[in-house]
């Protein structure tokens, strides 16, 4: 059967395409740094590209290729490029499309370090960036300059949960010859397929929903076209931010249960969002599954479900949030997200603390914002835990 033509859940289990001659049900871990050539001529052919034989694990490895092929299948792209971390994926994209004198337009509320490197490291190479509320396409359009080479988006954004109309931004960008990249970490391809909406590149921190078990740090870039795939592959290989075979094996293993994990976490999250929304000590809740989300209709159209991430603010601001976070017992007070366990954190003092206060405020990352990644525990226990913690506020 052609695995490109089977359903999403069948792809989760069977995609990858690296068969092994011993018949094992699972692609084995090729824990090797190098591969022997059949002959000097074969070695030369591998280097010239005439043979697709493996050379060296930084360049390619069957266990890693299995994961790359699977992610390309799931995102409907040409090819995947696995990286050591999500930040490896982010920098692979920046390094591939931005050079001296170039400019990038980004979602203002994006993962702290994805923005931070553009503010602190890339200016050293003459690269400029603008950060805008990309939930309004007029802001994206206004920020485009003659030297803009890339539009880099997060939707839903970390941690404001703002949503971008991907189809509209892709159309705008392409009319001006600009590439569009979307960080799809919050959704995974189960809930959103940016390449199908016209986007050129998708990336993931696979540390999150893709692996899903909070035991691996990993990243992936998926390109829609062969040209973009080749352009980024050579950058990743030469930056040396490649994945390790064991990391690839663990991530591929976690990925198999993506849909059942997200189904359960999302079901829990809808109930948690409704609970928080009604709670007298909560000031506001931002969740794409609530009608009060400013882009509720767009989320319904663009995503296959509202996901398992919520932002909310407590009456009494950060002080109240601090009390709540210090009193949870089941939920872990921890950064990261998208795992099977419920996590709670405070972006202004944790994931987004390296941004300037003005930058955070402009991006809507207010001091009272608390972020919750809802896990797959029994929802009654999650709600009981939050209720108890809120009672101390
Ligand atoms: N993109 C998004 C949307 C992320 O949330 C993260 C990490 C990254 C990229 C970077 O991935 P990494 O290198 O960590 O695999 N987000 C984190 C967060 O919100 N809390 O801790 C890490």
């Amino acid at each position: 059967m052609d695995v490109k033509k089977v359903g999403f859940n069948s792809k989760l289990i069977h995609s990858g395409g690296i068969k092994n001659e011993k018949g094992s049900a699972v692609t084995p871990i090729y824990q090797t740094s190098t591969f022997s050539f059949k002959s000097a001529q074969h070695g030369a052919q591998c280097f010239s590209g005439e043979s697709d034989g493996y050379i060296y694990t930084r360049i390619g490895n069957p266990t890693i290729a299995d994961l790359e092929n699977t992610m390309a299948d799931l995102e409907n792209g040409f090819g995947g490029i696995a990286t050591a971390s999500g930040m490896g994926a982010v920098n692979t994209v920046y390094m591939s499309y931005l050079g001296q004198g170039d400019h990038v337009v980004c979602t203002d509320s994006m993962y702290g370090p994805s923005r931070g490197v553009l503010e602190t490291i890339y200016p050293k190479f003459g690269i400029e960036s603008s950060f805008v509320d990309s939930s309004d396409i007029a802001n994206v359009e206004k920020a485009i300059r003659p030297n803009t080479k890339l539009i880099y988006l997060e939707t839903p954004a970390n941690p404001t949960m703002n949503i971008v109309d991907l189809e509209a931004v892709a159309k705008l960008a392409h009319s001006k010859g600009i590439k569009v990249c979307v960080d799809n970490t919050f959704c995974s391809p189960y809930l959103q397929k940016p390449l199908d909406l016209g986007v050129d590149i998708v990336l993931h921190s696979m540390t999150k929903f893709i692996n899903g078990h909070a035991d691996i740090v990993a990243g992936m870039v998926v390109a829609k076209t062969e040209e973009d795939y080749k352009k980024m592959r050579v950058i990743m290989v030469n930056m040396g931010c490649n994945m390790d075979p064991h990391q690839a094996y663990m991530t591929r293993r976690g990925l198999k249960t993506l849909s059942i994990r997200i189904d359960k976490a999302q079901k829990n999250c809808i109930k948690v969002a409704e609970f928080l929304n009604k709670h007298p000590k909560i000031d506001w809740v931002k969740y794409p599954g609530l009608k009060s989300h400013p882009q509720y209709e767009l989320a319904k159209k663009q995503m296959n479900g509202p996901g398992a991430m919520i932002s909310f603010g407590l009456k009494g601001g950060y002080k109240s949030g601090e009390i709540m976070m210090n009193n949870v017992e089941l939920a872990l007070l921890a950064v990261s997200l998208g795992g099977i366990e419920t996590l709670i954190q405070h972006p202004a003092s944790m994931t987004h603390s390296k941004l300037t206060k003005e930058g955070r405020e402009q991006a809507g990352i207010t001091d009272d914002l608390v972020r919750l990644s809802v896990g797959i525990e029994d929802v009654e226990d999650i709600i009981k835990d939050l209720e108890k913690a809120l009672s101390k506020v």
Side-chain angles (χ1 to χ4, degrees):
M1 201 182 280
D2 181 355
V3 289
K4 299 247 179 250
K5 294 196 178 129
V6 299
F8 190 87
N9 291 295
S10 304
K11 283 182 183 171
L12 285 177
I13 309 302
H14 296 290
S15 273
I18 308 297
K19 297 277 174 253
N20 91 87
E21 63 283 2
K22 306 286 185 212
S24 72
V26 172
T27 302
I29 311 175
Y30 288 85
Q31 194 71 48
T32 181
S33 58
T34 196
F35 298 82
S36 60
F37 304 119
K38 295 185 195 95
S39 64
Q41 290 80 0
H42 176 233
Q45 281 168 358
C46 289
F47 271 91
S48 71
E50 286 165 71
S51 165
D52 59 4
Y54 288 99
I55 299 171
Y56 185 62
T57 283
R58 177 162 50 75
I59 302 171
N61 173 293
T63 315
I64 300 170
D66 193 65
L67 179 64
E68 291 172 330
N69 295 346
T70 304
M71 285 301 291
D73 268 0
L74 297 173
E75 290 282 11
N76 294 332
F78 173 81
I81 302 160
T83 54
S85 65
M87 286 310 295
V90 171
N91 283 296
T92 296
V93 173
Y94 292 164
M95 293 284 280
S96 300
Y97 293 94
L98 300 171
Q100 191 167 29
D102 291 341
H103 172 247
V104 54
V105 178
C106 303
T107 300
D108 51 8
S109 142
M110 62 206 270
Y111 175 53
S114 303
R115 175 169 171 162
V117 292
L118 288 172
E119 292 181 317
T120 58
I121 299 174
Y122 285 83
K124 288 198 273 191
F125 307 109
I127 294 163
E128 301 172 317
S129 11
S130 301
F131 303 95
V132 300
D133 175 3
S134 52
S135 61
D136 181 351
I137 192 167
N139 295 332
V140 178
E141 190 160 16
K142 251 187 274 165
I144 292 174
R145 301 177 189 169
N147 58 339
T148 303
K149 293 287 159 52
L150 180 67
I151 296 178
Y152 183 96
L153 306 166
E154 263 188 37
T155 180
N158 184 358
T160 57
M161 304 304 292
N162 285 343
I163 291 172
V164 187
D165 185 337
L166 293 179
E167 218 163 1
V169 174
K171 220 177 264 169
L172 167 72
H174 294 158
S175 73
K176 296 174 186 290
I178 300 167
K179 293 280 180 191
V180 183
C181 173
V182 171
D183 182 332
N184 203 23
T185 299
F186 268 38
C187 282
S188 90
Y190 184 53
L191 296 184
Q192 178 169 272
K193 292 198 180 62
L195 301 185
D196 288 358
L197 300 171
V199 165
D200 304 292
I201 303 145
V202 160
L203 71 84
H204 287 275
S205 165
M206 296 199 294
T207 315
K208 313 296 165 13
F209 288 101
I210 300 291
N211 175 59
H213 292 75
D215 51 7
I216 282 291
V217 170
M220 179 70 69
V221 182
V222 178
K224 190 168 183 169
T225 67
E226 183 173 4
E227 191 190 347
D228 283 322
Y229 167 77
K230 285 187 168 159
K231 189 179 172 106
M232 292 190 284
R233 176 126 216 135
V234 75
I235 297 285
M236 184 286 287
V237 166
N238 288 296
M239 283 204 301
C241 58
N242 59 286
M243 184 172 276
D244 174 81
H246 186 259
Q247 198 184 2
Y249 171 86
M250 291 289 282
T251 309
R252 182 69 189 87
R253 173 178 144 131
L255 178 56
K256 290 183 189 195
T257 54
L258 178 75
S259 57
I260 56 173
R261 282 187 284 106
I262 291 189
D263 282 343
K264 171 71 177 155
Q266 183 172 258
K267 216 165 136 193
N268 284 353
C269 196
I270 292 167
K271 289 198 177 140
V272 170
E274 283 164 0
F275 159 77
L276 291 173
N277 208 29
K278 281 194 229 126
H279 199 284
K281 290 184 181 170
I282 302 282
D283 197 16
W284 56 269
V285 179
K286 197 109 167 263
Y287 178 59
L290 291 178
K291 288 209 172 92
S292 55
H293 190 291
Q295 291 129 329
Y296 174 75
E297 290 303 330
L298 174 60
K300 258 202 336 200
K301 183 177 133 214
Q302 184 167 280
M303 297 158 65
N304 296 323
M309 298 295 301
I310 309 179
S311 300
F312 61 92
L314 276 95
K315 291 179 184 160
Y318 176 46
K319 264 277 154 247
S320 301
E322 203 172 48
I323 297 169
M324 182 186 183
M325 285 186 288
N326 281 336
N327 283 285
V328 287
E329 287 181 59
L330 186 82
L332 303 180
L333 175 55
V335 297
S336 201
L337 58 103
I340 49 179
E341 57 287 283
T342 299
L343 303 177
I344 192 165
Q345 71 112 0
H346 177 240
S349 66
M350 295 174 186
T351 48
H352 294 70
S353 59
K354 297 287 184 290
L355 304 185
T356 60
K357 190 167 166 58
E358 301 78 64
R360 271 199 307 274
E361 274 168 8
Q362 180 268 325
I365 308 167
T366 47
D367 281 354
D368 67 335
L369 190 156
V370 175
R371 192 188 75 184
L372 193 64
S373 171
V374 176
I376 66 168
E377 301 95 337
D378 290 310
V379 71
E380 298 75 20
D381 293 330
I382 300 172
I383 290 175
K384 216 183 284 170
D385 191 36
L386 297 175
E387 198 158 34
K388 194 175 133 260
L390 280 167
S391 74
K392 310 277 186 200
V393 173

